[in-house]
Amino acid sequence: MSMNWLEGMNHQMDSMEEPGRPMAVPVFAGQKLVVVGGSSGMGRQTAADVVAAGGSAVIIGQDPGKVDDTVQTLAKEGSAYGITADLTDRMQAERVSQQLAAEHADATLLVNAAGLFVPKPFLDHEGADYDSYSELNRATFFVTQTVVRGMVAAGHGGSIVNIGSMWAHQAIGATPSSAYSVAKAGLHALTRNLALELASHQIRVNTVAPAVVATPIYERFVPKDQLEATLHSFDGFHPLGRTGTVRDMVNTITFLLSPATSWVTGAIWNVDGGVMAGRN
């Protein structure tokens, strides 16, 4: 199990820590994070880490119960806000953009973590399958545009991290994912374009590209009682010998959000247990 890099960086703070709990260094003090897909998995943990490190968070999610639970949990550490919407619905996506512009134009950080992943052979895809991916990409595009407008107007710069995918780099026979891969490849391309366009505003844009990571995304097509065994069946697929964890991913996401990577933009970071390096 990997550690949270934000905790225990300054050993002089040890005396201030709560018993049994490391204190996060306030790397994100005074910063507001918008997390698209922030009510579960990587998005939720990223928000939790940023709030624990002094920031605030705006959680955008589809399930009202999960959004409320996330906001209430984060509120124990700092400020948190919730927006509930189905981003594959264009009217709801537009409402989210309007609310962000009206209430959260001061955001300096953005993580695009919303996603869906349902492997399906190319010949079995229907229009609705494809549209679910393309509409989510559309929402991500315009929500990002809204947040960036606020960053540019404020003039303080910012940092954006997108959650891409190893599947955007290569196809995997066991998980036929043509529509998903098209969507994630588009997100990788958006990363590079925005990095170039927004550099003069000191807004950095990067992407992390995970391989198999134990997140709720697999619950859409794997029975709950088989989920753990299914995920571990991919351990050997990764040269490092195990599937990834949410903590593995979030450490890199928060690192890219932070000033520690102030000279990194337009990067697609493979956080994949070594998959893109080759095969065992």
Side-chain angles (χ1 to χ4, degrees), residues 11-25:
H11 296 298
Q12 294 180 354
M13 299 180 66
D14 288 349
S15 61
M16 300 170 57
E17 295 172 2
E18 297 177 20
R21 180 184 176 188
M23 178 179 288
V25 175

Side-chain angles (χ1 to χ4, degrees), residues 109-144:
L109 308 170
L110 170 65
V111 171
N112 286 309
L116 56 99
F117 176 59
V118 182
K120 181 179 287 191
F122 173 67
L123 294 179
D124 292 344
H125 270 87
E126 298 177 352
D129 302 321
Y130 185 88
D131 290 346
S132 63
Y133 293 110
S134 62
E135 288 297 325
L136 184 57
N137 261 21
R138 185 183 193 277
T140 298
F141 186 99
F142 287 107
V143 166
T144 299

Side-chain angles (χ1 to χ4, degrees), residues 33-47 58-62 87 109-117 136-137 139-141 143-144 160-165 180 184 187 206-208 210 215-217 220 246 249-250 253 257:
L33 165 70
V34 174
V35 190
V36 183
S39 60
S40 66
M42 301 178 207
R44 176 170 172 144
Q45 188 59 58
T46 298
V58 182
I59 303 301
I60 303 173
Q62 184 173 356
L87 293 178
L109 308 170
L110 170 65
V111 171
N112 286 309
L116 56 99
F117 176 59
L136 184 57
N137 261 21
T140 298
F141 186 99
V143 166
T144 299
I160 299 169
V161 177
N162 299 315
I163 310 300
S165 178
Y180 171 81
K184 289 299 187 180
L187 197 57
N206 295 290
T207 282
V208 294
T215 72
I217 199 169
R220 288 176 175 264
V246 167
M249 297 306 306
V250 173
I253 294 167
L257 288 174

Side-chain angles (χ1 to χ4, degrees), residues 1-279:
M1 179 67 67
S2 57
M3 65 175 287
N4 179 355
W5 74 277
L6 289 166
E7 294 179 346
M9 288 172 57
N10 186 347
H11 296 298
Q12 294 180 354
M13 299 180 66
D14 288 349
S15 61
M16 300 170 57
E17 295 172 2
E18 297 177 20
R21 180 184 176 188
M23 178 179 288
V25 175
V27 172
F28 299 109
Q31 298 203 57
K32 180 182 283 185
L33 165 70
V34 174
V35 190
V36 183
S39 60
S40 66
M42 301 178 207
R44 176 170 172 144
Q45 188 59 58
T46 298
D49 283 7
V50 168
V51 171
S56 59
V58 182
I59 303 301
I60 303 173
Q62 184 173 356
D63 186 306
K66 290 183 178 180
V67 172
D68 290 344
D69 177 70
T70 303
V71 170
Q72 290 174 18
T73 300
L74 295 178
K76 297 174 184 177
E77 298 279 352
S79 298
Y81 315 85
I83 301 175
T84 301
D86 177 0
L87 293 178
T88 63
D89 180 310
R90 292 193 181 188
M91 292 184 65
Q92 293 188 50
E94 175 60 26
R95 172 176 57 80
V96 169
S97 289
Q98 291 174 358
Q99 189 169 349
L100 288 173
E103 302 174 11
H104 302 293
D106 57 337
T108 54
L109 308 170
L110 170 65
V111 171
N112 286 309
L116 56 99
F117 176 59
V118 182
K120 181 179 287 191
F122 173 67
L123 294 179
D124 292 344
H125 270 87
E126 298 177 352
D129 302 321
Y130 185 88
D131 290 346
S132 63
Y133 293 110
S134 62
E135 288 297 325
L136 184 57
N137 261 21
R138 185 183 193 277
T140 298
F141 186 99
F142 287 107
V143 166
T144 299
Q145 184 186 71
T146 299
V147 175
V148 167
R149 281 179 174 150
M151 291 179 180
V152 170
H156 303 307
S159 182
I160 299 169
V161 177
N162 299 315
I163 310 300
S165 178
M166 173 207 67
W167 278 265
H169 294 308
Q170 63 178 3
I172 306 300
T175 56
S177 309
S178 53
Y180 171 81
S181 297
V182 166
K184 289 299 187 180
L187 197 57
H188 289 197
L190 180 66
T191 297
R192 297 186 179 98
N193 279 268
L194 295 189
L196 188 62
E197 288 192 43
L198 302 177
S200 63
H201 299 286
Q202 297 302 302
I203 298 171
R204 300 184 298 107
V205 189
N206 295 290
T207 282
V208 294
V212 181
V213 178
T215 72
I217 199 169
Y218 295 98
E219 294 174 3
R220 288 176 175 264
F221 61 94
V222 179
K224 190 172 183 179
D225 62 343
Q226 300 175 29
L227 186 58
E228 185 174 358
T230 300
L231 289 170
H232 281 302
S233 72
F234 283 91
D235 284 349
F237 174 68
H238 306 84
L240 287 180
R242 64 175 176 85
T243 57
T245 66
V246 167
R247 170 54 57 204
D248 291 325
M249 297 306 306
V250 173
N251 278 345
T252 303
I253 294 167
T254 54
F255 188 52
L256 285 170
L257 288 174
S258 79
T261 53
S262 62
W263 212 49
V264 179
T265 194
I268 312 295
W269 280 17
N270 297 319
V271 189
D272 60 7
V275 169
M276 290 306 299
R279 295 290 183 272

